[in-house]
Amino acid sequence: MKIKAAKAGLCPELEPVENFMESSFPGCVQREKHYNTLQYEIASSSLARIFQLVVANKDRLSIEDYSVSQTTLDQVFVNFAKQQTGGDDEVTLHRRTARKDMKISPVKRK
């Protein structure tokens, strides 16, 4: 969501939008917060309900622009892989063990 400021040159008020998201979508997770932009992950809600609530409160919360997208299969896979490995944990690399050199001679034909 992109939030517009009440007056030009002022910082936009993000707190009312954050409170709205937390009360309207319990369990939602704020993924990003920048100067005038908020991004949330909403786990369990229909797209129709999300649109209905955002549109109904758009003017009151000074929401200039917003978009809703579903998680892609690629994002699901990356998140699953992070959970399996414990996130961004360090990976210890081990040296390969030394192998004996083998001498291969050509076969003599009779």
Side-chain angles (χ1 to χ4, degrees):
M1 288 185 264
K2 185 176 178 184
I3 313 304
K4 60 184 169 187
K7 292 183 181 179
L10 296 177
C11 291
E13 289 290 326
L14 300 181
E15 189 175 340
V17 180
E18 292 171 316
N19 293 336
F20 162 76
M21 290 299 292
E22 290 171 14
S23 65
S24 299
F25 307 102
C28 70
V29 178
Q30 189 179 75
R31 291 292 177 197
E32 291 184 36
K33 179 179 181 179
H34 300 289
Y35 171 72
N36 66 341
T37 305
L38 296 170
Q39 182 180 15
Y40 285 89
E41 181 178 317
I42 302 170
S44 58
S45 189
S46 70
L47 290 175
R49 182 171 183 271
I50 294 169
F51 280 110
Q52 179 186 20
L53 289 172
V54 172
V55 168
N57 292 280
K58 185 177 176 184
D59 293 333
R60 180 179 70 83
L61 298 171
S62 301
I63 299 173
E64 184 177 343
D65 191 25
Y66 68 95
S67 67
V68 179
S69 62
Q70 292 180 305
T71 306
T72 65
L73 189 56
D74 185 51
Q75 290 168 323
V76 170
F77 176 76
V78 169
N79 290 335
F80 179 74
K82 282 183 181 178
Q83 290 174 358
Q84 296 301 309
T85 61
D88 296 329
D89 294 343
E90 290 183 24
V91 176
T92 305
L93 300 177
H94 300 282
R95 266 190 184 183
R96 285 184 145 182
T97 57
R99 296 188 302 184
K100 281 188 171 181
D101 289 335
M102 300 173 97
K103 191 172 187 178
I104 300 174
S105 304
V107 177
K108 293 183 182 178
R109 293 189 183 182
K110 294 182 180 181

